[in-house]
Amino acid sequence: MLKISKRSIILRKIYEIISLSIIEIKEISNIKLNNNNIKIPYSTFQDPNEIKDFSFEVNLDQLDDGYKYLLSVELSGNAELIIDGMLDQSIDAGHTYSIFDGPKHEFVLRVGSRELFGKNSWYLNIKSIKIITINYKLFKLGLNFLQLFKYADTTSRSKLRIYNYMLKYLLTLYESPNIEQIMGIGSIFLNKNKEELVDFLSDVYGYPIINHMIKDYPRKDINLYKYTNVLEHIIKTIAASDNKYKTNKVFAFGHCHIDVAWLWPYSETLRKIERSFLNVLKLYEMGFNFVFAQSTALYYYEIEKRNVYIFNKIRRLVNDGKWFIVGGMWVESDTNLIRGESLARQLLYGQGYFKEVFNRYSRIAWLPDTFGFSGQLPQLFVKSGMEVFVTHKPMWNDTTEFPYHCFKWFGIDGTPIITSIVNLSYNENLDFDSVVNAYKSNKNKNLPITYLYGYGDGGGGPDIEMMLKLEQIKDLQFMPNVNGSFSEQEYIDSFKEFYKEMPSYFGEIYLENHRGVYTTNLEIKKYVANIEDKLIMLDFINSMIYNSKLYISNTKKLWYGLLKAQFHDILPGSAYYYAYEEAFAELDDIILEIDKITEFAIRKFIEDKNIKKGLIAINNSQYEFNHFVEIDNSLASEIPADKVVNVGDKKFVLVNVPPLGFSVINTNTENKFENEIKIRKIKGKYIIENKIIKLIINSVGIISFFYNNKRYIKKGNIVKIYNDIPANFDSWNINAQNIRKDLFMDEIKTEIRVISKNIIGMVEIKKIFEDGSSIIQKIIIRPGSSIVEFENTLLLKNREKLVKVVFQPYFHADYIKREIPFGYIMTKLNSKNEKTRPEFPALRYVDYSDNSHGFSILSRESHGYSFINGELGISIAKVPLYPNPFSDRNEVREKFYVYLHNEYYNIYKDANFVFNPIKLHVNEYDGDNVRESLFNFSGENIILENIKVAEDNSGLVTRFYNCSDKMSTLELNFPGGDIYETDILENKQVKYNKNIIFKPFEIKTLLIEKNNL
């Protein structure tokens, strides 16, 4: 009881000191909205997308030195505060007051009803507005007392001894606040812990005191020297009681994590950016000395367009070395679910924009909240000018603890980058216990610590109280060595100094959490995959007309739209409904624009190449394209009827196009169809086969797969619908226990019918499950192919479901190979990985093979896979409740493929129709050319990711990578010799001849200059 009593008395006395800093309170009871007078408190319906301007006028005189005005606003949403026509700061849950000097006159609150984390009840409430005159020096002293108390209360090794001394010194201060001052403290600490009696006294007596209905004690004059002296005595007491933290240096960054969209749409994010940046600028203008780090080139790009006043202030701070531009990416994107070219463009356009407007690149890679990290990121970061990588998310592991907080991270190619994991959150507040906790929990003694403070996720950034704590902490000997004002070079050098001492980590950093994001919201994943493929095709066509000066130079903004959609809460499916409504509309517009520009470029391409009239196919793959392609009726009318294969309601045409070239389809008279597809029913089982593979489908739709009459898959196409109710984070997580225990829904009916056995075989399987959910599968086999297509239409009747299709191999393998951007990684199949990785991501395929044979599952849009209880599964749908209960609420249309192969296989060649869809176009121009390969090269295991026009128009840029763990050599067949390797940012580095050596998994960006083309 004694301990509790002392603690309570100390805390109460400290709040009294802060209250004593309050000189006067002016309650604003009348404001204007659209020139109409309204009274406070005020409540009204407000659409979350609506912004209202509330204004009031009050004459505030110039104050004496040491005194300031504090405007306190209690409201339900967010606001921009404008004082005398100048943007001041935001008013939000983390920034409930603004401190400023007089004289001031006109105040405007530009208010939206959404809160920082998107919560919105479709109502706006403004409860109170107060202007408080404060003794700023005493106010700061009071906050200093509060931090020392929190330190003693939560962190000190000598809590009771410090309590005794604190109480002794504090009781030498005899002044107590009056009711008006107590009411003021309630208005200042609106959303923060405070004494319970503050609310009671404010609510009961505040109104009569302010309106002079009750006479209170007069305000006391305060001897600041006496209070300062007491503070110094307490500091000395703590310093004498606690050991010093002398080793690791703590680098404290002001920070503001703003999600591009999450529990709000992007249109709200635009307001968050402006409000958050205003908060930071306000602190600099108040004279605080700190470092602020902000990622995401997109935000600077938007501010430059929307508010050049804010942008120019940021630019000056960047030039002064106080505001760090970090990340180097267009947005903090996902890194598992996007093509390698997308990751390269994130860096190219992020760093390119920073160079353009700030004349510098980011040197610190920055992904604090992304859901797992591809094994090629170290190489990409280093080749984009980055020297240190900062993240936080591995701290979220749910099964094993990540072993390091500071280490050398080696990518799959062997490139290292220094990595610093923020071991607390990226939204800390500089409370002393928080700083000490960051120090104590650091796993790498003597190595630097990265500490991030400021309101985040929904934006906000640091506040004045954090600044005051930063000022206080640097002078306290008993606290860790916190550096809050440093140069970028100093931060980087502090890590490089300990490079040899750092432990090493190899390969991808898999997040043991948030495994549902590989599957949730299939629609956004389909959008992104589709637009990636369209833009890469446009790049190719543009490159092929580059020499004729007809190329299109305005495609960068189309990439901007795609890159934004790859943000780590949009593409993973973890944003809320309205964020996707807005995103889908924007992506639809991007598709229309891409298609329009592509059609224009193709017409220029046709004229330049003098291509014969008819339906042409363009192939941007390095491999010959020879595949039956589904076409619509309008395209079918351009082809002789005997070349169209009708399969149910679908039409197919055989397309043969040379590598990196084009072909006119209706001139391919040599294509004579031979019907090698056989489908028959024997003893209730359907057998479907071509010359390479055979499928046996039993009465419930389970399939056995054979390759050259050898059984590869014992049982496949087993559809399992699981109840999926994670402990938290519905959209992000999965309930792996149900998968491990094989607790899935019963199916009550299966219907199978043959749709086609002419040239192309198609069988339809329809399953109905016990809750009324259904799936219709169209299984397609093409002649001469060992790839089976599964076109799935899923209609779920209930939420909180995860749908998987699983396959039981007929042979044993030790590893799963899974594609990542620019390569692959091998995952060992053992009990440990099955526990930590019950679901894992793959970009476009996973492969299960031994030394002689194997099979792959491929999908362009689904990325979640599992290997549990001897079954390889692909997740084709996940329907959560939170935060978007309408995710994939209509029919889910998903497509995947099963590819059977021997030991000598090339998935990029055999499945190039999945990886590089061709472009079909009806050509009205009547030229002579019917078929041509426009560009060729050779190199075992060398993959061409993309070819594009250089950003400075100096030539063509090709991006290659070695997709194997062996050395390889690329031979480029271009005339001349001016070929350069560049970094990802297209800065020239090394001049090459035609033969270029690639290390395992190496990515190379090559510039072929104009004079060679």
Side-chain angles (χ1 to χ4, degrees), residues 554-772:
N554 60 342
T555 62
K556 184 186 292 187
K557 289 186 178 179
L558 298 173
W559 277 97
Y560 287 175
L562 170 65
L563 300 180
K564 183 172 78 172
Q566 293 169 344
F567 177 73
H568 67 255
D569 264 315
I570 300 177
L571 176 56
S574 48
Y576 89 144
Y577 171 76
Y578 294 105
Y580 289 110
E581 288 297 287
E582 197 171 276
F584 293 155
E586 182 176 333
L587 293 173
D588 281 334
D589 290 342
I590 290 171
I591 289 171
L592 289 174
E593 186 66 16
I594 293 171
D595 289 346
K596 183 175 74 173
I597 293 175
T598 301
E599 290 300 305
F600 176 81
I602 288 174
R603 288 196 295 272
K604 298 297 182 183
F605 174 75
I606 287 168
E607 293 173 14
D608 184 55
K609 300 300 178 185
N610 193 34
I611 299 175
K612 185 176 178 64
K613 185 176 181 180
L615 182 64
I616 66 168
I618 300 172
N619 175 22
N620 66 340
S621 163
Q622 69 197 70
Y623 300 106
E624 181 183 39
F625 189 100
N626 190 39
H627 189 72
F628 278 95
V629 176
E630 185 178 350
I631 57 174
D632 59 26
N633 288 329
S634 63
L635 292 179
S637 65
E638 301 293 325
I639 304 169
D642 64 343
K643 294 190 177 297
V644 176
V645 178
N646 294 291
V647 181
D649 58 356
K650 297 176 179 291
K651 297 181 185 297
F652 292 84
V653 61
L654 180 61
V655 176
N656 181 271
V657 195
L660 300 165
F662 68 89
S663 179
V664 182
I665 291 175
N666 61 7
T667 63
N668 293 338
T669 54
E670 72 277 8
N671 292 332
K672 302 296 184 183
F673 299 141
E674 178 185 347
N675 187 13
E676 62 177 62
I677 301 295
K678 297 177 181 177
I679 300 179
R680 57 194 187 277
K681 187 175 182 181
I682 300 175
K683 296 182 179 180
K685 296 181 178 180
Y686 289 89
I687 301 173
I688 177 171
E689 59 187 318
N690 60 24
K691 290 182 177 180
I692 305 172
I693 61 174
K694 177 171 68 176
L695 277 61
I696 300 176
I697 308 174
N698 71 12
S699 59
V700 293
I702 294 175
I703 305 174
S704 298
F705 292 74
F706 296 79
Y707 179 89
N708 287 338
N709 290 319
K710 186 175 182 180
R711 195 170 192 174
Y712 273 38
I713 300 174
K714 181 180 180 181
K715 294 180 180 179
N717 195 43
I718 306 169
V719 181
K720 299 184 177 182
I721 302 179
Y722 298 95
N723 268 329
D724 186 52
I725 307 176
N728 53 24
F729 294 107
D730 278 29
S731 289
W732 295 260
N733 292 341
I734 61 171
N735 186 339
Q737 284 298 103
N738 287 344
I739 303 173
R740 292 190 182 100
K741 295 178 180 179
D742 224 17
L743 301 176
F744 57 90
M745 193 185 301
D746 289 336
E747 55 184 82
I748 59 175
K749 185 178 181 181
T750 302
E751 297 176 354
I752 303 174
R753 67 186 182 103
V754 176
I755 294 179
S756 170
K757 49 187 176 180
N758 177 34
I759 310 300
I760 294 174
M762 180 186 288
V763 173
E764 180 183 271
I765 301 174
K766 181 177 181 180
K767 293 175 178 285
I768 300 175
F769 297 84
E770 60 182 299
D771 73 338

Side-chain angles (χ1 to χ4, degrees), residues 37 73 80 245 284 363 383 429 503 540 735 841 871 889:
N37 291 323
V73 181
E80 275 184 354
Y245 301 98
Y284 280 118
R363 298 171 66 191
K383 288 187 173 182
N429 59 13
F540 173 73
N735 186 339
E871 295 178 336
R889 62 177 174 170

